[in-house]
Amino acid sequence: MRSRLEALRSVPFLRTLDEPTLKAVDARCAEKVYLKNEILFLEGDPPKGLLVIREGSVKIYKVGGTGREQILEIEGPGRSVAELPLFDGQPYPASCAAIEDTILLTMPVREFHALLERHPALSRAVIASLSQRLRRMVFLVRELSLEDVRTRLANLLLELAGSSDQVELPWTHQELAARIGTVREIVSRTLARMAQEGAVRIEGRRIHLLDRARLSS
């Protein structure tokens, strides 16, 4: 398990802090364990403060009127969660739950604001981080609006693989479906079709990318 300082240092906007300040942040953080599927917060809840994942992973999601879930983001170790309410004081615009047993570091809102006042450069770093999240949300909206399911699934597999030729899926087919805005049965059928066409080879949760050009064709 990574140390608390390593987790905090991995957060993009906290990297600007010197070691003594980072240790002061660590001293003000409480640690809480969330079990798999446990709710961290629900849409409409007031902000809890700065939330940093030490170990595990969480999903940020919204639930429609029919109960269908759309995953907006999945965050892992060394990532912060839902910073926006820290600045506007408004309730969380989406919900968050652990997708595996997760250890979270939390700093109260008041402590975080005091940190920003002492370190103005940190505010600029947080704005840059929020800008990156906004870009990801714009990309997600474009995908859901303009791309078909196969293309969305192919893009996600390529994103997870990076430069590798294989993906170790961190989620179930249900969670994959919620991430790309469809249902589990369509994800399973689409993966099976990709395998039949020779684009991928599936071994449990491991997917080998055999032909990237065929993935979204």
Side-chain angles (χ1 to χ4, degrees):
M1 180 187 299
R2 67 177 59 199
S3 71
R4 290 165 56 111
L5 279 177
E6 286 174 331
L8 292 171
R9 195 179 292 112
S10 297
V11 177
F13 58 81
L14 293 181
R15 292 174 191 161
T16 61
L17 301 177
D18 56 35
E19 194 71 9
T21 304
L22 197 63
K23 288 181 178 179
V25 170
D26 178 40
R28 288 170 171 77
C29 284
E31 190 169 285
K32 182 171 175 56
V33 175
Y34 290 86
L35 301 180
K36 182 178 180 179
N37 297 325
E38 189 174 353
I39 302 295
L40 279 68
F41 55 79
L42 292 172
E43 180 177 351
D45 285 351
K48 292 187 172 184
L50 177 66
L51 310 177
V52 175
I53 302 168
R54 181 180 179 188
E55 288 293 330
S57 56
V58 305
K59 62 181 179 181
I60 310 297
Y61 65 97
K62 291 183 74 74
V63 178
T66 61
R68 181 170 163 181
E69 180 183 291
Q70 171 66 55
I71 294 179
L72 304 176
E73 192 64 86
I74 292 178
E75 301 287 9
R79 299 291 297 180
S80 57
V81 179
E83 305 96 333
L84 184 59
L86 286 172
F87 294 91
D88 63 12
Q90 297 299 305
Y92 288 115
S95 301
C96 180
I99 58 178
E100 59 182 314
D101 292 352
T102 297
I103 302 175
L104 208 67
L105 303 177
T106 66
M107 174 185 279
V109 175
R110 184 177 299 177
E111 294 277 1
F112 183 69
H113 286 171
L115 181 67
L116 291 177
E117 291 175 2
R118 292 194 300 270
H119 301 277
L122 182 58
S123 296
R124 293 191 293 272
V126 174
I127 291 171
S129 178
L130 291 174
S131 298
Q132 291 177 353
R133 290 191 187 279
L134 177 58
R135 288 181 183 276
R136 289 183 65 86
M137 289 301 103
V138 170
F139 178 77
L140 178 61
V141 169
R142 184 188 67 80
E143 270 203 323
L144 293 176
S145 303
L146 304 176
E147 305 285 3
D148 59 26
V149 170
R150 177 165 179 144
T151 300
R152 298 201 299 268
L153 180 56
N155 287 342
L156 181 58
L157 292 176
L158 291 171
E159 178 186 340
L160 292 172
S163 59
S164 174
D165 288 328
Q166 66 180 34
V167 176
E168 194 75 37
L169 286 179
W171 319 307
T172 64
H173 284 193
Q174 180 65 46
E175 290 164 339
L176 271 177
R179 177 64 177 81
I180 63 174
T182 186
V183 295
R184 179 181 57 80
E185 293 79 7
I186 293 179
V187 165
S188 298
R189 287 202 299 267
T190 304
L191 283 173
R193 192 175 302 119
M194 288 176 171
Q196 290 170 0
E197 295 169 356
V200 301
R201 184 174 74 253
I202 302 172
E203 298 175 350
R205 286 204 174 190
R206 180 171 298 168
I207 298 180
H208 299 267
L209 307 184
L210 305 179
D211 190 335
R212 289 174 177 248
R214 287 188 182 181
L215 271 179
S216 56
S217 61

